[in-house]
Amino acid sequence: PDTWHIIVEGWDYNSPERDDVIEWILEQPNCNLGTAAQYFFTAAIGLANDDPEKLSPGYRRKWHLMKRVADNWQRGHYLQNQLQHSVQPSDVKYYDELAARRQAEGRPLPFKVPGPEARRFGGRLADSPYVYEHFHLRLGFNPWKRQRAPGCGTDFPRCCDR
């Protein structure tokens, strides 16, 4: 779950790369609530107020996954809750204000997540030996360095070309 969180945290919803991986992660029974919240609030910034039928196929797929995450969250699918998400408070507030505004207008969003008073997330950051960048999962520098000969990494990356 920690490595999954790293992947979701590095996800770029403007790209169609790896959507199948993100979907798989968010459907797992041991996916962490902090990971699901990371995806949901990141996607909600650009998609929550849109009509999915008017979106391109790629964004429509992301919109439906956002809704599925909200539905899973509401029904208690995400039982693990150790990780904290890294979504900016202003982005979470955007969703909350949008949901309240749409509700007041009589046009509620077709999905919802628990309100701010009911949201509780774990207190730790994901701890994984991997980093996710440019759509690739790679071994992080420190775990990589532990596998190298003594002294390697002191003049990274030149010393490692030998």
Side-chain angles (χ1 to χ4, degrees):
D2 285 54
T3 299
W4 297 347
H5 190 85
I6 298 293
I7 293 169
V8 171
E9 222 173 22
W11 170 76
D12 176 4
Y13 82 84
N14 291 310
S15 171
E17 299 290 323
R18 309 295 190 259
D19 283 349
D20 51 341
V21 172
I22 300 297
E23 289 173 350
W24 182 86
I25 290 169
L26 294 168
E27 290 297 325
Q28 297 310 300
N30 56 340
C31 177
N32 198 280
L33 177 60
T35 304
Q38 179 74 38
Y39 178 88
F40 177 82
F41 289 120
T42 301
I45 295 165
L47 298 173
N49 202 30
D50 290 328
D51 176 350
E53 297 311 312
K54 295 180 180 176
L55 295 171
S56 69
Y59 285 115
R60 187 176 314 122
R61 181 179 181 184
K62 290 166 178 57
W63 188 95
H64 284 289
L65 179 57
M66 176 186 62
K67 182 183 183 315
R68 200 159 62 241
V69 167
D71 294 345
N72 284 346
W73 191 347
Q74 282 290 91
R75 68 181 175 83
H77 176 76
Y78 303 112
L79 300 176
Q80 303 296 317
N81 190 13
Q82 299 83 23
L83 302 175
Q84 58 181 253
H85 64 76
S86 62
V87 179
Q88 294 297 315
S90 60
D91 295 338
V92 175
K93 184 179 175 184
Y94 167 82
Y95 165 77
D96 291 332
E97 290 174 349
L98 173 65
R101 184 175 69 249
R102 292 272 307 256
Q103 186 71 33
E105 294 170 352
R107 301 180 313 118
L109 293 171
F111 52 82
K112 68 179 193 173
V113 297
E117 66 286 342
R119 291 182 202 141
R120 300 288 179 266
F121 300 103
R124 72 175 180 82
L125 299 174
D127 182 22
S128 173
Y130 298 96
V131 295
Y132 184 72
E133 46 193 19
H134 310 293
F135 309 112
H136 295 286
L137 189 63
R138 303 181 198 296
L139 190 62
F141 178 73
N142 287 333
W144 173 85
K145 186 178 172 184
R146 283 193 294 273
Q147 296 177 359
R148 310 313 294 175
C152 183
T154 56
D155 190 24
F156 182 78
R158 288 178 291 187
C159 69
C160 301
D161 291 335
R162 293 182 238 172

Short mmCIF file of all heavy atoms in Angstrom, two decimals, residues 59-83:
data_model
loop_
_atom_site.label_atom_id
_atom_site.label_comp_id
_atom_site.label_asym_id
_atom_site.label_seq_id
_atom_site.Cartn_x
_atom_site.Cartn_y
_atom_site.Cartn_z
N TYR A 59 -10.70 11.65 -20.13
CA TYR A 59 -11.18 12.34 -18.93
C TYR A 59 -12.47 11.72 -18.40
O TYR A 59 -12.70 11.70 -17.19
CB TYR A 59 -11.36 13.84 -19.20
CG TYR A 59 -10.05 14.57 -19.27
CD1 TYR A 59 -9.62 15.17 -20.45
CD2 TYR A 59 -9.22 14.65 -18.16
CE1 TYR A 59 -8.41 15.83 -20.51
CE2 TYR A 59 -8.01 15.31 -18.21
CZ TYR A 59 -7.61 15.91 -19.39
OH TYR A 59 -6.40 16.56 -19.44
N ARG A 60 -13.29 11.19 -19.30
CA ARG A 60 -14.51 10.50 -18.85
C ARG A 60 -14.13 9.30 -18.00
O ARG A 60 -14.74 9.03 -16.97
CB ARG A 60 -15.34 10.07 -20.06
CG ARG A 60 -16.69 9.49 -19.66
CD ARG A 60 -17.57 9.12 -20.86
NE ARG A 60 -17.58 10.18 -21.85
CZ ARG A 60 -17.20 10.01 -23.13
NH1 ARG A 60 -16.80 8.83 -23.56
NH2 ARG A 60 -17.23 11.02 -23.97
N ARG A 61 -13.10 8.57 -18.41
CA ARG A 61 -12.64 7.41 -17.64
C ARG A 61 -12.18 7.85 -16.25
O ARG A 61 -12.50 7.21 -15.25
CB ARG A 61 -11.49 6.74 -18.39
CG ARG A 61 -10.93 5.53 -17.72
CD ARG A 61 -9.81 4.92 -18.54
NE ARG A 61 -9.28 3.73 -17.90
CZ ARG A 61 -8.26 3.06 -18.37
NH1 ARG A 61 -7.66 3.43 -19.49
NH2 ARG A 61 -7.82 1.98 -17.74
N LYS A 62 -11.47 8.97 -16.17
CA LYS A 62 -10.99 9.48 -14.88
C LYS A 62 -12.16 9.95 -14.02
O LYS A 62 -12.17 9.76 -12.80
CB LYS A 62 -9.98 10.59 -15.11
CG LYS A 62 -8.67 10.09 -15.69
CD LYS A 62 -7.84 11.24 -16.21
CE LYS A 62 -6.50 10.83 -16.76
NZ LYS A 62 -6.54 9.85 -17.83
N TRP A 63 -13.17 10.59 -14.67
CA TRP A 63 -14.34 11.05 -13.93
C TRP A 63 -15.05 9.85 -13.31
O TRP A 63 -15.43 9.88 -12.14
CB TRP A 63 -15.30 11.79 -14.86
CG TRP A 63 -16.43 12.45 -14.15
CD1 TRP A 63 -16.49 13.75 -13.74
CD2 TRP A 63 -17.68 11.84 -13.75
NE1 TRP A 63 -17.70 13.99 -13.12
CE2 TRP A 63 -18.44 12.83 -13.11
CE3 TRP A 63 -18.20 10.56 -13.88
CZ2 TRP A 63 -19.70 12.57 -12.59
CZ3 TRP A 63 -19.46 10.31 -13.36
CH2 TRP A 63 -20.20 11.31 -12.73
N HIS A 64 -15.24 8.79 -14.08
CA HIS A 64 -15.92 7.59 -13.56
C HIS A 64 -15.11 6.93 -12.44
O HIS A 64 -15.70 6.42 -11.48
CB HIS A 64 -16.23 6.61 -14.68
CG HIS A 64 -17.40 7.04 -15.50
ND1 HIS A 64 -18.70 7.02 -15.05
CD2 HIS A 64 -17.47 7.53 -16.76
CE1 HIS A 64 -19.52 7.47 -15.97
NE2 HIS A 64 -18.79 7.79 -17.04
N LEU A 65 -13.79 6.97 -12.54
CA LEU A 65 -12.97 6.43 -11.45
C LEU A 65 -13.12 7.30 -10.21
O LEU A 65 -13.21 6.78 -9.10
CB LEU A 65 -11.51 6.30 -11.87
CG LEU A 65 -10.57 5.76 -10.79
CD1 LEU A 65 -11.02 4.38 -10.29
CD2 LEU A 65 -9.14 5.69 -11.31
N MET A 66 -13.15 8.62 -10.39
CA MET A 66 -13.35 9.52 -9.26
C MET A 66 -14.67 9.19 -8.55
O MET A 66 -14.72 9.10 -7.33
CB MET A 66 -13.34 10.97 -9.74
CG MET A 66 -13.65 11.99 -8.68
SD MET A 66 -13.78 13.66 -9.36
CE MET A 66 -15.18 13.48 -10.47
N LYS A 67 -15.72 8.99 -9.33
CA LYS A 67 -17.02 8.63 -8.76
C LYS A 67 -16.95 7.28 -8.05
O LYS A 67 -17.50 7.11 -6.96
CB LYS A 67 -18.10 8.60 -9.84
CG LYS A 67 -19.48 8.28 -9.28
CD LYS A 67 -20.51 8.18 -10.37
CE LYS A 67 -21.91 7.93 -9.84
NZ LYS A 67 -22.04 6.92 -8.81
N ARG A 68 -16.27 6.31 -8.67
CA ARG A 68 -16.15 4.97 -8.06
C ARG A 68 -15.39 5.06 -6.73
O ARG A 68 -15.75 4.40 -5.75
CB ARG A 68 -15.46 4.03 -9.03
CG ARG A 68 -15.70 2.59 -8.72
CD ARG A 68 -15.47 1.65 -9.90
NE ARG A 68 -14.10 1.66 -10.39
CZ ARG A 68 -13.74 2.00 -11.63
NH1 ARG A 68 -14.64 2.37 -12.51
NH2 ARG A 68 -12.48 1.96 -11.99
N VAL A 69 -14.35 5.89 -6.67
CA VAL A 69 -13.60 6.08 -5.42
C VAL A 69 -14.53 6.69 -4.36
O VAL A 69 -14.54 6.25 -3.21
CB VAL A 69 -12.35 6.95 -5.64
CG1 VAL A 69 -11.75 7.42 -4.33
CG2 VAL A 69 -11.32 6.17 -6.45
N ALA A 70 -15.32 7.70 -4.75
CA ALA A 70 -16.26 8.32 -3.80
C ALA A 70 -17.26 7.28 -3.30
O ALA A 70 -17.53 7.21 -2.09
CB ALA A 70 -16.98 9.49 -4.46
N ASP A 71 -17.81 6.48 -4.21
CA ASP A 71 -18.77 5.44 -3.82
C ASP A 71 -18.11 4.42 -2.89
O ASP A 71 -18.70 4.01 -1.88
CB ASP A 71 -19.34 4.74 -5.05
CG ASP A 71 -20.20 5.66 -5.92
OD1 ASP A 71 -20.59 6.75 -5.45
OD2 ASP A 71 -20.45 5.29 -7.08
N ASN A 72 -16.89 4.00 -3.23
CA ASN A 72 -16.17 3.05 -2.38
C ASN A 72 -15.91 3.64 -1.00
O ASN A 72 -16.02 2.96 0.02
CB ASN A 72 -14.83 2.66 -3.02
CG ASN A 72 -14.99 1.68 -4.16
OD1 ASN A 72 -16.04 1.08 -4.35
ND2 ASN A 72 -13.94 1.53 -4.96
N TRP A 73 -15.53 4.91 -0.96
CA TRP A 73 -15.26 5.60 0.30
C TRP A 73 -16.53 5.63 1.15
O TRP A 73 -16.50 5.30 2.34
CB TRP A 73 -14.77 7.00 0.00
CG TRP A 73 -14.20 7.80 1.13
CD1 TRP A 73 -14.26 7.54 2.46
CD2 TRP A 73 -13.48 9.03 1.00
NE1 TRP A 73 -13.63 8.53 3.17
CE2 TRP A 73 -13.14 9.45 2.29
CE3 TRP A 73 -13.10 9.81 -0.09
CZ2 TRP A 73 -12.44 10.64 2.53
CZ3 TRP A 73 -12.40 10.98 0.15
CH2 TRP A 73 -12.07 11.38 1.44
N GLN A 74 -17.64 5.98 0.54
CA GLN A 74 -18.92 6.07 1.26
C GLN A 74 -19.35 4.73 1.83
O GLN A 74 -19.93 4.67 2.91
CB GLN A 74 -20.02 6.61 0.34
CG GLN A 74 -19.98 8.09 0.13
CD GLN A 74 -20.37 8.85 1.38
OE1 GLN A 74 -19.52 9.22 2.19
NE2 GLN A 74 -21.64 9.10 1.55
N ARG A 75 -19.08 3.65 1.10
CA ARG A 75 -19.54 2.33 1.58
C ARG A 75 -18.51 1.63 2.46
O ARG A 75 -18.69 0.49 2.86
CB ARG A 75 -19.98 1.45 0.42
CG ARG A 75 -18.93 1.01 -0.51
CD ARG A 75 -19.53 0.14 -1.65
NE ARG A 75 -18.54 -0.20 -2.64
CZ ARG A 75 -17.69 -1.21 -2.54
NH1 ARG A 75 -17.71 -1.99 -1.50
NH2 ARG A 75 -16.80 -1.43 -3.49
N GLY A 76 -17.39 2.31 2.78
CA GLY A 76 -16.41 1.75 3.70
C GLY A 76 -15.44 0.77 3.10
O GLY A 76 -14.88 -0.07 3.80
N HIS A 77 -15.22 0.85 1.79
CA HIS A 77 -14.30 -0.06 1.10
C HIS A 77 -12.86 0.09 1.59
O HIS A 77 -12.13 -0.89 1.66
CB HIS A 77 -14.38 0.19 -0.41
CG HIS A 77 -13.41 -0.62 -1.22
ND1 HIS A 77 -13.61 -1.96 -1.48
CD2 HIS A 77 -12.25 -0.28 -1.82
CE1 HIS A 77 -12.60 -2.41 -2.22
NE2 HIS A 77 -11.77 -1.42 -2.44
N TYR A 78 -12.46 1.31 1.90
CA TYR A 78 -11.06 1.58 2.28
C TYR A 78 -10.90 1.42 3.79
O TYR A 78 -11.14 2.33 4.57
CB TYR A 78 -10.66 2.99 1.81
CG TYR A 78 -10.83 3.15 0.33
CD1 TYR A 78 -11.80 3.99 -0.21
CD2 TYR A 78 -10.05 2.43 -0.56
CE1 TYR A 78 -11.97 4.12 -1.58
CE2 TYR A 78 -10.21 2.54 -1.93
CZ TYR A 78 -11.18 3.39 -2.43
OH TYR A 78 -11.34 3.52 -3.78
N LEU A 79 -10.52 0.21 4.17
CA LEU A 79 -10.43 -0.13 5.60
C LEU A 79 -9.11 0.30 6.22
O LEU A 79 -9.04 0.53 7.42
CB LEU A 79 -10.64 -1.63 5.78
CG LEU A 79 -11.99 -2.17 5.30
CD1 LEU A 79 -12.04 -3.68 5.44
CD2 LEU A 79 -13.14 -1.49 6.04
N GLN A 80 -8.06 0.35 5.42
CA GLN A 80 -6.74 0.76 5.92
C GLN A 80 -6.71 2.29 5.98
O GLN A 80 -7.18 2.96 5.07
CB GLN A 80 -5.64 0.27 4.99
CG GLN A 80 -5.61 -1.22 4.77
CD GLN A 80 -5.32 -1.97 6.06
OE1 GLN A 80 -4.45 -1.59 6.83
NE2 GLN A 80 -6.05 -3.04 6.29
N ASN A 81 -6.16 2.83 7.06
CA ASN A 81 -6.14 4.29 7.19
C ASN A 81 -4.93 4.75 7.99
O ASN A 81 -5.06 5.35 9.04
CB ASN A 81 -7.44 4.78 7.83
CG ASN A 81 -7.58 6.28 7.76
OD1 ASN A 81 -6.85 6.95 7.04
ND2 ASN A 81 -8.52 6.82 8.51
N GLN A 82 -3.74 4.42 7.49
CA GLN A 82 -2.53 4.85 8.17
C GLN A 82 -1.87 6.05 7.49
O GLN A 82 -1.11 6.77 8.12
CB GLN A 82 -1.50 3.71 8.23
CG GLN A 82 -1.93 2.49 8.98
CD GLN A 82 -2.78 1.56 8.13
OE1 GLN A 82 -2.71 1.57 6.91
NE2 GLN A 82 -3.60 0.75 8.77
N LEU A 83 -2.11 6.22 6.20
CA LEU A 83 -1.38 7.22 5.41
C LEU A 83 -2.13 8.54 5.30
O LEU A 83 -3.36 8.57 5.20
CB LEU A 83 -1.11 6.69 4.00
CG LEU A 83 -0.32 5.38 3.92
CD1 LEU A 83 -0.23 4.91 2.48
CD2 LEU A 83 1.05 5.56 4.53
#
